[in-house]
Amino acid sequence: MGSENIDQQTRGGYVSDEVLGTFIPIVVYWVYSGLYLMLGGMDNYRLHSQKDEDEKNLVSKKEVVKGVLLQQVIQAAVATLLFTITGSDVESDGDQHASIFVRGIQFLVAMFMLDTWQYFMHRYMHQNKFLYKHIHSQHHRLIVPYAFGALYNHPLEGLLLDTIGGALAFLVSGMSPRTSIFFFSFATIKTVDDHCGLWLPGNLFHTIFKNNSAYHDIHHQLYGTKFNYSQPFFVTWDRILGTYMPYELEKRRGGGFEAKPVKDCKEH
């Protein structure tokens, strides 16, 4: 029934909210990370030097692109299945009349749900030696993160952490496919920004969210792998469960910044 509605709504030049909700976040990922790619030469704002990015990372950018595209294919397939099962625009017509307050609550619920799922799954993948070695370590081949590597994961991790986490956020929040277009585009931009490798003045993500590019950069360093699991929005679970590692930014010799932990985690 849901697939029939999608087929009907893509005829005559009309594209359904389900189709847009599936593919717009993917387009947003490459457009936004492409903007950061163009800014990559801004050495005065980098958290790592270009030399470190080239020498320390353990995977080529070609392989990163292939890995991200594979995850996005899986993501699109699961989203299509989810929208087919839950219904179509016909069921969500009432959402057009939903107040901004209701949509705001749905956003907050979805953010909390996604954060909760990803924190515990992410932390478990670090604590379970088998899962870390065979699954999550793939993402940590990027010791120096950059924007279009944000979704570079093992396919199973991408499915468990991001795709299923997103599906749960969608279902628990009760948002419509139309609202999900905005939520998942926002979540995509936030995830890319957290991996951008830059600290730009005036970046609202860095100002509003404590969970930002510098915070997540700490986690990607060897001394920080047992800390700062929270992603992509808040640092709540890190604070509650003792895995919060605050940082301070220092000017790096040669230009740019370096995120350094405030406390020494070598003791832990």
Side-chain angles (χ1 to χ4, degrees):
M1 182 67 178
S3 60
E4 291 176 1
N5 285 325
I6 293 176
D7 291 339
Q8 291 172 3
Q9 291 162 351
T10 54
R11 295 172 186 169
Y14 176 73
V15 180
S16 72
D17 290 342
E18 291 88 348
V19 172
L20 293 175
T22 299
F23 293 103
I24 282 184
I26 295 175
V27 174
V28 166
Y29 181 92
W30 292 108
V31 170
Y32 194 65
S33 61
L35 293 175
Y36 269 122
L37 187 62
M38 290 188 292
L39 295 174
M42 301 180 69
D43 292 339
N44 288 334
Y45 302 104
R46 293 178 64 96
L47 294 174
H48 297 270
S49 67
Q50 183 65 56
K51 180 180 179 182
D52 282 348
E53 180 181 312
D54 295 336
E55 295 181 354
K56 290 185 177 181
N57 285 338
L58 305 176
V59 60
S60 70
K61 291 182 177 178
K62 179 180 179 180
E63 289 302 311
V64 168
V65 170
K66 288 167 59 177
V68 171
L69 289 174
L70 175 59
Q71 174 164 333
Q72 290 176 330
V73 168
I74 297 172
Q75 172 185 313
V78 173
T80 300
L81 177 63
L82 178 65
F83 286 138
T84 300
I85 293 172
T86 57
S88 68
D89 290 335
V90 174
E91 285 83 358
S92 64
D93 281 344
D95 181 70
Q96 297 178 21
H97 308 290
S99 68
I100 294 177
F101 175 77
V102 170
R103 295 186 187 188
I105 293 297
Q106 290 173 337
F107 252 69
L108 289 174
V109 170
M111 291 168 76
F112 176 75
M113 184 66 223
L114 188 58
D115 260 28
T116 300
W117 176 264
Q118 292 209 354
Y119 175 85
F120 288 101
M121 288 298 297
H122 186 194
R123 182 173 180 174
Y124 184 65
M125 285 190 175
H126 274 271
Q127 293 177 331
N128 184 298
K129 293 181 179 179
F130 178 86
L131 288 179
Y132 184 81
K133 179 179 179 181
H134 296 284
I135 305 295
H136 187 56
S137 63
Q138 178 168 324
H139 182 68
H140 280 273
R141 292 175 187 173
L142 291 178
I143 298 168
V144 178
Y146 48 80
F148 68 84
L151 291 183
Y152 175 66
N153 300 306
H154 188 282
L156 182 58
E157 176 179 352
L159 176 64
L160 291 175
L161 213 69
D162 299 313
T163 307
I164 292 180
L168 289 172
F170 172 78
L171 293 171
V172 171
S173 68
M175 67 175 56
S176 70
R178 183 162 301 173
T179 301
S180 77
I181 297 170
F182 299 98
F183 174 73
F184 289 116
S185 295
F186 173 64
T188 297
I189 290 172
K190 180 65 172 63
T191 300
V192 169
D193 207 88
D194 290 346
H195 291 81
C196 70
L198 296 172
W199 186 266
L200 294 174
N203 186 322
L204 292 178
F205 286 120
H206 299 167
T207 304
I208 297 172
F209 293 94
K210 290 186 179 295
N211 196 335
N212 49 44
S213 58
Y215 185 82
H216 194 65
D217 182 76
I218 292 291
H219 176 73
H220 271 261
Q221 308 314 306
L222 183 61
Y223 57 75
T225 55
K226 294 181 180 179
F227 298 89
N228 295 9
Y229 297 116
S230 291
Q231 57 185 48
F233 299 113
F234 310 114
V235 299
T236 308
W237 287 113
D238 276 323
R239 285 185 177 275
I240 292 173
L241 297 176
T243 54
Y244 175 72
M245 176 171 284
Y247 65 89
E248 55 187 8
L249 285 173
E250 296 182 1
K251 285 281 189 178
R252 189 178 62 247
R253 183 179 300 176
F257 298 96
E258 183 176 357
K260 290 189 174 182
V262 172
K263 64 179 181 180
D264 185 3
C265 62
K266 295 179 180 179
E267 299 175 359
H268 296 265

